[in-house]
Amino acid sequence: MDSDSRAHKTGMHTDARTDGDRDSNQPVNDTWITTKVKSSLLADTDVAGLDIDVETVNGVVTLSGDVESQAQIDHAKRIAADIEGVTSVDASGLTTASGTGDY
């Protein structure tokens, strides 16, 4: 029981949280933006959210993957641009099925 009391008093639980923060090289804002964009794409029924990869660096969101139409690309760009903290959206990595030439 004494060891538990000492661990609590020394703030070991705080040290664990601090260590976790140091593991990430990505700013918290970029991680939050990526998560928010991805979840918004997944929640939208007009966009193939599972087929879109999202990366964020310094507020610039990059979308890549395959979607069904140019309309989905445009819609995904609008969704990403509406997220707080996004400075710009690069959707040049999004391609449509008709543009891949796999037919």
Side-chain angles (χ1 to χ4, degrees), residues 4-80:
D4 288 341
S5 297
R6 281 192 296 267
H8 182 68
K9 288 180 183 178
T10 60
M12 290 176 86
H13 63 281
T14 303
D15 293 342
R17 187 180 68 226
T18 303
D19 289 344
D21 292 345
R22 278 187 252 136
D23 289 341
S24 176
N25 293 329
Q26 197 171 30
V28 172
N29 287 340
D30 284 349
T31 302
W32 184 88
I33 290 169
T34 298
T35 302
K36 185 66 175 170
V37 170
K38 188 66 178 176
S39 64
S40 296
L41 291 171
L42 288 170
D44 194 289
T45 57
D46 294 330
V47 178
L50 287 174
D51 298 328
I52 300 175
D53 293 319
V54 180
E55 291 184 35
T56 308
V57 178
N58 297 325
V60 177
V61 174
T62 302
L63 304 175
S64 60
D66 296 322
V67 294
E68 295 177 9
S69 66
Q70 182 62 44
Q72 283 193 350
I73 292 173
D74 296 340
H75 193 64
K77 285 170 57 175
R78 278 193 302 275
I79 289 171

